[in-house]
Amino acid sequence: SRGLGDVYKRQVYVFADGKLSVGKPNVSGKCIVNNGTLTVDGSLDMNSGLTVYNTATGVLTVTDEMKVSNSARIYNDGAVTVDDLKINSDGEFHNCENALLVVNDECELERNTAIYQRGRASIEEMTARGTIWVNCHTSVNELEAQGAEFNFSANAGLDAGRVEFNNTNVSMASGVIFTMEAVSYTHLRA
């Protein structure tokens, strides 16, 4: 027989068209679907294989740190705004075609993680050690990559201020626009 914890782990949470503001969420489950406005006044930790769907009408705002780890996945079709975004331990963030991602402070991408950037993104600072797929326009004020992998699709764009690449692979298809103010690199493989 299964305990109540096993039942809760299989639940799906759906936030409909209304608004929900929470201080310190502690959600156990396998799936969250946000169709409305979900505001977290503090930190949001998503892990243990949790899948989050922020639909085209979904607005997710986290006023502090959003952590995606332990095989958690976020699929954003709407708008996500966070102060800090940390992705580690096989976590993934999928910013879909018509989506918007805004990181007001720092985005940290550790090894064995990925960001699939298909929508628009504006990131103040990014530290990358994982894999980044860029299929559209991305803006990063400060970018530091250490042992990372960047893959740019045809006609994608990256606007960056200060850029520092160390032991980083960069693959670019035709038509990629990569602008930067200052660059520093060691062992860049293009």
Side-chain angles (χ1 to χ4, degrees):
S1 98
R2 293 185 178 163
L4 285 176
D6 291 332
V7 173
Y8 292 132
K9 289 178 185 174
R10 292 192 312 272
Q11 287 185 343
V12 174
Y13 296 90
V14 177
F15 299 104
D17 297 330
K19 294 183 179 181
L20 175 66
S21 293
V22 293
K24 293 183 179 179
N26 183 0
V27 180
S28 295
K30 289 295 177 190
C31 183
I32 294 175
V33 179
N34 180 32
N35 292 322
T37 300
L38 176 57
T39 302
V40 178
D41 293 325
S43 298
L44 177 60
D45 189 354
M46 294 175 276
N47 59 53
S48 300
L50 178 68
T51 300
V52 177
Y53 296 98
N54 195 52
T55 67
T57 59
V59 176
L60 173 60
T61 304
V62 180
T63 62
D64 194 4
E65 175 183 279
M66 181 165 73
K67 191 182 293 184
V68 182
S69 60
N70 298 324
S71 300
R73 308 277 184 267
I74 296 181
Y75 296 90
N76 178 35
D77 263 326
V80 172
T81 302
V82 299
D83 277 358
D84 295 311
L85 175 60
K86 297 190 183 202
I87 305 173
N88 57 44
S89 301
D90 296 316
E92 292 182 3
F93 192 103
H94 298 255
N95 200 40
C96 300
E97 286 80 5
N98 297 312
L100 173 64
L101 169 64
V102 176
V103 180
N104 293 320
D105 195 10
E106 189 172 6
C107 177
E108 292 181 15
L109 181 66
E110 293 299 325
R111 288 179 173 74
N112 301 320
T113 60
I115 290 182
Y116 298 92
Q117 171 46 22
R118 296 177 191 100
R120 294 169 294 139
S122 176
I123 300 168
E124 183 60 29
E125 293 180 32
M126 176 181 261
T127 304
R129 289 172 184 80
T131 302
I132 300 169
W133 298 87
V134 180
N135 293 345
C136 64
H137 184 263
T138 302
S139 173
V140 179
N141 191 36
E142 292 186 30
L143 172 61
E144 178 186 332
Q146 174 70 41
E149 182 178 332
F150 282 80
N151 300 286
F152 292 90
S153 297
N155 303 314
L158 176 64
D159 291 327
R162 185 187 65 79
V163 175
E164 184 177 328
F165 285 135
N166 294 303
N167 297 314
T168 296
N169 289 320
V170 177
S171 300
M172 294 184 183
S174 63
V176 170
I177 299 172
F178 189 171
T179 62
M180 65 197 96
E181 292 176 17
V183 66
S184 163
Y185 61 89
T186 53
H187 304 292
L188 176 66
R189 293 177 295 279

